[in-house]
Amino acid sequence: MKQIALTQDSGTLTVVDAPIPAPSPHGLLVRTAYSLVSSGTELSKVRVGEMPIWEKARQRPDQVAKVLDAVKNEGVVATMNKVRERLAAPQPLGYSLAGVVVAVGDRCDEFRVGDRVACGGTTACHAEYVSVPANLTVHVPATVPLRDAAYTTVAAIALHGIRTGEVALGDRVLVIGLGLIGQIASRLCAAAGAHVFGVDPQSDRCDLARAHGAEATDTSLDASTAQQVFAWSRGRGADVVLITAGGADSQPLHLAGAAARDRARVVVVGAVGLEVPREPFYHKELSLHISRSYGPGRYDPEFEEKGMAYPIGFVPWSERRNMEEIVTLLGDGRLSYAGLEGITTPFERAPEGYATLKGEQGAPPIAVVLEYAARPGDEPTPVVAAGPSAAAKPGFRPATEHRFEPRALNVSFLGMGNFASATLLPPVRGAAGVTLCDVVTSSPLKAEAARSRAGFRRALTSAAEALATADTTVAIIATRHDSHARYAEQALRAGKAVFVEKPLALTSAELTAVERALEETRGRLMVGFNRRFAPATQWALERIGANREGLRFLARINAGPLPHDHWILDPESGGG
């Protein structure tokens, strides 16, 4: 399939070939019909990518702090290599699209093949096929065109900002920034019975807002606008201020402080400067809220990846329900995107669409939508789980317990995270007689990047497909811990020699399954414990000397704390 990739060290946008992803157990595979380019999040990533390295560092001081910590722990050379690799790795773009379901995960029972859906999240990127979680996917009513449904996630951002501001019937709402999100927020507020005053430097966007529900607008961010807001609100000031503008300065916050009523709510939806003017915020006792994305559940792996549902009594409006409400309002005709259509660009010419949105060809449109060509019959072929290959038949078994026939070192990697790419891959790639066959990751772009950089034969997103081929003779498993035992068993039964990173299993049942497979196939299995090569271990072994008969050596290593949300601490995926 084709996918848009951003190279962070140069800001270059390309359309690349990547493997079709597989649906997760709690998700589905969608063939994209339309995807919306975000003029805020995506363009900011592109602009940062175009900056020189020192300017990138100035823009992201949090990342600089991480680099300095890594230098202390890993050294300058290792850290710089990691930084270069990270900057050179292609990144996906996009998070709002609509399409048709072509495959469903085995733990997802809400969708069927052929359903029309709108999708959000980082996996809902600009690609011909996307693997998306069910909790970031909603059905699209038959009355809603898929092109309109592609706006759903962006519109949900506006809706969540309104909920954060607790906008109520009759409220006077000041919307600062009348780009796409600001326009949608204005229309939603008007539909909810609120009164809207819009501010944007572009007069045509002010005209558009007034044509669709806003009662008044202005093009400046100075004190005169605050006076107009007070006059419009009968001398009270704005009950709620929604800042949907973008930019590094804090001028929108200064206008919010000047135009808001006493004890009003100020909600920052866009990426703006947050230098709060103390005097108006203190004297009016204003409440400042940061609206996070499209609602509760965002960035929560339990909700997004594992399909957990929040109790409706405590979290009535999750990100998914916000998305559902957007398509419902569209279907009922209570929300319209009239005037927000922007331009439509064929997906194959996506870089041109980004250039248009950046204003390189005149005034930028309010939106750019990528259209994907419909190709009948191009749905991906379902991947069949790997079973025993010819190599795993009785004839493969060795003549004696400890003798194995040598065979070609055709190596496939299942998993290509930081440890696999930095520690496991270099010695394997440098060994004599090794042929790199397949590299498998859940991310299509990461798989393709590993293939092109390291010289693998194929980039895949399905471990079953890699294990089903007879070409692979050695499988190196470096995925997350919860899949180690399953992949090790499958690889053994497929006749592969197996190197699996620790731990081999997370449960006794998983361990038993691997033991049974090892016994029945009499295959080759090694578990990687990299601490045996650590300097401290080597030092201890040297002090012990060559006479180690009967010795049992136990080493407990403090490798430093992990972030509380690190996947290794998850009992299901990492073991805790």
Side-chain angles (χ1 to χ4, degrees):
M1 70 167 188
K2 301 290 186 182
Q3 180 171 353
I4 294 177
L6 168 67
T7 304
Q8 295 182 98
D9 59 357
S10 63
T12 304
L13 285 167
T14 54
V15 180
V16 302
D17 289 309
I20 294 174
S24 67
H26 295 284
L28 48 152
L29 183 66
V30 174
R31 186 187 70 227
T32 309
Y34 298 93
S35 62
L36 177 68
V37 178
S38 166
S39 59
T41 304
E42 293 184 54
L43 282 193
S44 66
K45 289 182 178 180
V46 173
R47 291 190 176 109
V48 170
E50 293 171 340
M51 296 175 180
I53 186 68
W54 61 268
E55 184 64 21
K56 286 185 174 75
R58 195 177 71 84
Q59 292 285 330
R60 295 297 305 272
D62 56 325
Q63 296 297 322
V64 173
K66 290 182 179 180
V67 169
L68 294 177
D69 287 340
V71 169
K72 294 177 185 176
N73 297 325
E74 304 174 31
V76 175
V77 175
T79 301
M80 294 311 298
N81 287 338
K82 186 181 294 185
V83 169
R84 285 194 203 95
E85 185 170 332
R86 183 70 59 87
L87 290 175
Q91 297 294 315
L93 288 174
Y95 58 85
S96 189
L97 61 82
V100 178
V101 176
V102 296
V104 179
D106 56 11
R107 298 183 190 175
C108 179
D109 56 4
E110 302 176 58
F111 297 91
R112 299 289 181 269
V113 172
D115 285 351
R116 303 165 75 246
V117 294
C119 310
T122 54
T123 57
C125 50
H126 302 304
E128 291 178 317
Y129 292 91
V130 294
S131 174
V132 288
N135 269 359
L136 285 171
T137 305
V138 296
H139 288 94
V140 175
T143 55
V144 176
L146 285 179
R147 191 189 187 281
D148 286 355
Y151 287 62
T152 297
T153 309
V154 170
I157 294 174
L159 180 55
H160 181 55
I162 292 170
R163 295 198 193 286
T164 303
E166 301 177 7
V167 174
L169 179 69
D171 273 348
R172 299 276 170 162
V173 182
L174 172 60
V175 179
I176 303 176
L178 295 175
L180 183 58
I181 292 179
Q183 296 283 348
I184 296 174
S186 297
R187 298 180 187 195
L188 290 173
C189 287
H195 307 275
V196 178
F197 189 114
V199 176
D200 194 279
Q202 297 186 37
S203 59
D204 58 334
R205 296 191 174 181
C206 291
D207 295 340
L208 181 61
R210 284 199 307 274
H212 293 276
E215 297 177 358
T217 58
D218 198 0
T219 58
S220 67
L221 293 173
D222 57 24
S224 64
T225 302
Q227 293 173 356
Q228 290 185 53
V229 172
F230 269 89
W232 164 77
S233 61
R234 300 172 185 172
R236 301 185 186 98
D239 299 293
V240 180
V241 181
L242 299 178
I243 300 178
T244 53
D249 64 66
S250 301
Q251 200 171 357
L253 269 179
H254 288 265
L255 174 59
R261 65 159 168 82
D262 189 66
R263 291 178 175 84
R265 294 176 296 278
V266 178
V267 181
V268 177
V269 180
V272 296
L274 293 177
E275 294 180 3
V276 179
R278 186 182 188 280
E279 185 174 354
F281 273 74
Y282 171 76
H283 284 290
K284 294 182 180 181
E285 201 173 12
L286 302 180
S287 299
L288 177 63
H289 303 266
I290 309 298
S291 180
R292 186 174 69 179
S293 206
Y294 15 108
R298 191 72 188 103
Y299 310 114
D300 180 0
E302 297 290 329
F303 181 86
E304 294 190 338
E305 298 172 15
K306 298 182 181 179
M308 184 192 75
Y310 292 139
I312 190 72
F314 294 93
V315 188
W317 289 100
S318 67
E319 56 181 331
R320 186 183 190 188
R321 193 177 175 200
N322 280 335
M323 293 170 66
E324 284 179 346
E325 187 61 22
I326 292 297
V327 294
T328 299
L329 292 172
L330 285 170
D332 294 345
R334 288 179 287 169
L335 174 63
S336 167
Y337 294 145
L340 305 180
E341 297 88 353
I343 64 170
T344 302
T345 302
F347 171 68
E348 292 79 3
R349 291 161 47 196
E352 298 176 23
Y354 280 87
T356 302
L357 200 59
K358 288 162 64 177
E360 295 179 1
Q361 302 169 9
I366 197 164
V368 170
V369 176
L370 303 181
E371 182 177 19
Y372 298 70
R375 300 182 180 88
D378 69 346
E379 281 75 11
T381 303
V383 177
V384 180
S389 67
K393 293 180 179 179
F396 158 76
R397 295 182 180 178
T400 67
E401 185 70 22
H402 301 291
R403 290 180 60 85
F404 294 93
E405 293 298 325
R407 48 180 164 173
L409 294 176
N410 298 332
V411 179
S412 289
F413 271 74
L414 277 57
M416 190 51 68
N418 290 333
F419 183 77
S421 60
T423 304
L424 298 180
L425 179 59
V428 172
R429 184 170 55 180
V434 168
T435 299
L436 296 177
C437 294
D438 299 332
V439 57
V440 182
T441 77
S442 60
S443 165
L445 271 186
K446 184 178 287 188
E448 173 57 26
R451 184 205 64 78
S452 60
R453 288 203 309 267
F456 284 92
R457 181 191 60 185
R458 289 191 306 173
L460 303 172
T461 58
S462 167
E465 188 174 354
L467 296 176
T469 176
D471 294 343
T472 297
T473 59
V474 180
I476 294 181
I477 300 170
T479 51
R480 289 193 173 185
H481 298 166
D482 59 328
S483 59
H484 284 187
R486 181 172 76 255
Y487 289 156
E489 180 188 5
Q490 292 176 2
L492 286 168
R493 295 194 181 281
K496 318 302 182 188
V498 181
F499 177 96
V500 57
E501 262 304 315
K502 62 175 175 62
L504 175 58
L506 292 184
T507 67
S508 58
E510 290 179 348
L511 184 60
T512 299
V514 175
E515 287 179 324
R516 187 180 299 115
L518 187 62
E519 180 181 353
E520 292 174 359
T521 63
R522 301 181 71 183
R524 284 174 273 193
L525 172 69
M526 180 178 179
V527 182
F529 290 94
N530 61 80
R531 289 296 173 183
R532 75 185 73 182
F533 305 112
T537 307
Q538 296 298 309
W539 177 89
L541 292 175
E542 289 175 5
R543 296 305 182 276
I544 291 169
N547 183 14
R548 301 171 189 172
E549 184 176 354
L551 174 68
R552 297 191 66 178
F553 185 85
L554 174 64
R556 310 202 85 174
I557 305 295
N558 182 353
L562 290 172
H564 74 278
D565 57 350
H566 196 283
W567 65 267
I568 286 180
L569 301 180
D570 183 332
E572 292 184 20
S573 61

